[in-house]
Amino acid sequence: MKIYYPFLKDYLDTEFSAKNMADIFTNLGLECESSNKTLNFDITPNRGDALSLSGLAREFSASQKNARFIQKPFNKVSFQNSKDFIGKVNNKCCQNYHLLEIREINKFKALPKEIVRLLEKADIPLIHPVVDIGNYVMLELGTPLHVFDRDKLKLPLSVNFADENETVSIIGGEKKILDSSIATIRDRNATVAIAGIIGCDNSSVTSETKNFLVESAAFLPNVIMNKARKLSLNTDASVRFERGVDSTMQANALVRFLELLNAVTSVKFKNFYKFKSKNNPSSRKIKFNYEDLNAFTGKKIPPRFVDKLLKNLGFTLSKNKQGFYATVPSHRFDISIKEDIYEEVLRVYGFDKLPANLPLAGPSNLKTSTSYVQRVSNFLIANGYQELMHLPFVQKTYVNE
């Protein structure tokens, strides 16, 4: 992911240089290099939450003593449940599905220069103002949006797996053959998008488009994972969906989209629609305590530091008779056990501050008195032989045999 440094600097409200900022993110575990006013991030597959400006801001704030990440509040809007717009949604591939309908848009002002520059530096081509704003929202919030030409669709839209050996023409005209493991978006007549990856040519936006349908969905990571690669595709949307997209942000992403769109055109007619699965995963609570953390790290870390850090990263802390609990935020798919929480603390606290202790695992210390076998071993080592001492990965009964 490439982010234009001047834009990120203003977004974070900091005076750090590009090099210093790159060093901060690298020390946090988000590999980053600076070049030509651009920060190049190499985000690991388990950290999809960092593939956005807000995700980077959250990480940056957690590393600064007097900073705190506060997500800007979103306007409240009413979403309708309408089967005329959203038909069947297979909850094995999609957690929730939101649509924003926009009609009768004729003229656009130029997009703000800073947004244009951000998209260009991120290697995202400028296509159409509505599509460009959707791509900016993806960079800002980490929630991919897809824009359909409303007039090319035969509603309602449905989300389901493709037919085996189904052939579609994606944006740009290239043909792709799908299998039944690949999720798709269909209208009443045909497939109009490969879910979480790319749209189809038969519903794409052009300079003549006046009516739009904007999709914001939470496709399941295991459904999207490796599918783009299977189709010889690599899109910004697929990179995010296969790593995990926050399933609570779809409505907010459309609200933010409309806010930006209103700045460049007059939106006279709009409607919001939604489908939300009843099988959404419940919040994850992980039990931990400060004594375990200190034993794990070998160093006493102040509880106030731990509390502030976890809250800045989006965790909710609670306590009952059984101990302390951390509720994992919906944007973190990589946190499942208490050791994951300890790692979160350590990567911000600094691994270099931990004491260098000998590992607990490995061969035990030899006794001072040497056996006949040990004397033979010493003789062979002294004559140039090498002794290998392996940790066995088999049952003890096999070793005895």
Side-chain angles (χ1 to χ4, degrees), residues 379-393:
F379 172 79
L380 293 174
I381 292 171
N383 283 274
Y385 288 85
Q386 292 181 330
E387 181 180 23
L388 302 180
M389 302 181 71
H390 297 287
L391 296 175
F393 288 93

Side-chain angles (χ1 to χ4, degrees), residues 30-306:
L30 308 175
E31 196 69 33
C32 181
E33 294 181 353
S34 62
S35 176
N36 298 324
K37 292 187 177 182
T38 301
L39 295 179
N40 298 289
F41 290 89
D42 186 10
I43 305 296
T44 55
N46 65 324
R47 291 302 309 275
D49 62 289
L51 288 169
S52 66
L53 292 169
S54 60
L56 294 176
R58 186 186 299 112
E59 292 288 314
F60 179 80
S61 298
S63 70
Q64 305 302 303
K65 288 184 178 180
N66 298 318
R68 184 180 179 187
F69 175 73
I70 300 176
Q71 179 70 64
K72 178 183 175 182
F74 298 93
N75 295 327
K76 299 292 184 181
V77 299
S78 177
F79 281 80
Q80 303 176 44
N81 292 301
S82 173
K83 292 185 178 180
D84 292 333
F85 278 81
I86 302 176
K88 179 182 177 182
V89 177
N90 189 330
N91 58 25
K92 292 183 179 179
C93 57
C94 184
Q95 287 180 280
N96 62 63
Y97 194 79
H98 292 66
L99 293 174
L100 166 60
E101 182 190 23
I102 304 168
R103 289 187 183 179
E104 300 174 14
I105 296 182
N106 296 306
K107 295 181 180 180
F108 294 91
K109 298 177 184 176
L111 290 177
K113 292 181 180 179
E114 59 270 20
I115 290 181
V116 172
R117 191 68 170 152
L118 179 71
L119 293 173
E120 289 176 341
K121 283 291 186 177
D123 292 334
I124 298 177
L126 299 175
I127 298 171
H128 183 287
V130 176
V131 177
D132 300 338
I133 290 173
N135 285 332
Y136 171 78
V137 171
M138 176 188 67
L139 285 180
E140 183 181 72
L141 302 180
T143 305
L145 303 180
H146 181 69
V147 184
F148 297 101
D149 185 323
R150 167 71 174 79
D151 296 330
K152 294 179 180 179
L153 300 173
K154 300 297 181 182
L155 298 172
L157 296 183
S158 299
V159 184
N160 213 333
F161 292 101
D163 297 328
E164 192 69 26
N165 297 319
E166 179 181 351
T167 300
V168 297
S169 178
I170 63 172
I171 292 174
E174 186 179 355
K175 303 286 186 182
K176 295 293 180 183
I177 300 176
L178 311 181
D179 61 43
S180 57
S181 69
I182 297 175
T184 61
I185 314 300
R186 294 181 61 91
D187 67 4
R188 284 181 302 173
N189 292 343
T191 294
V192 294
I194 304 175
I197 299 176
I198 196 170
C200 291
D201 218 22
N202 58 3
S203 61
S204 62
V205 170
T206 69
S207 58
E208 303 300 318
T209 302
K210 298 293 185 292
N211 302 312
F212 304 85
L213 202 61
V214 187
E215 168 197 274
S216 180
F219 301 113
L220 295 175
N222 63 302
V223 173
I224 308 301
M225 194 177 299
N226 297 323
K227 300 305 186 298
R229 193 174 297 109
K230 179 186 286 189
L231 297 171
S232 300
L233 294 169
N234 182 33
T235 64
D236 290 288
S238 67
V239 166
R240 286 162 175 80
F241 278 120
E242 67 184 7
R243 285 163 170 77
V245 168
D246 189 347
S247 62
T248 68
M249 287 297 291
Q250 283 64 50
N252 292 334
L254 290 180
V255 170
R256 176 62 172 150
F257 172 89
L258 186 59
E259 178 184 333
L260 293 167
L261 186 63
N262 278 324
V264 297
T265 189
S266 175
V267 179
K268 297 179 180 178
F269 182 90
K270 61 183 182 297
N271 276 312
F272 292 90
Y273 304 96
K274 70 174 180 179
F275 163 86
K276 191 170 183 179
S277 172
K278 296 179 181 179
N279 297 328
N280 280 336
S282 57
S283 58
R284 291 160 288 160
K285 281 190 175 183
I286 299 176
K287 184 179 180 180
F288 78 102
N289 64 65
Y290 302 107
E291 289 76 17
D292 279 351
L293 172 61
N294 293 335
F296 181 82
T297 61
K299 188 176 180 67
K300 189 173 182 179
I301 300 176
R304 285 185 63 186
F305 173 87
V306 176

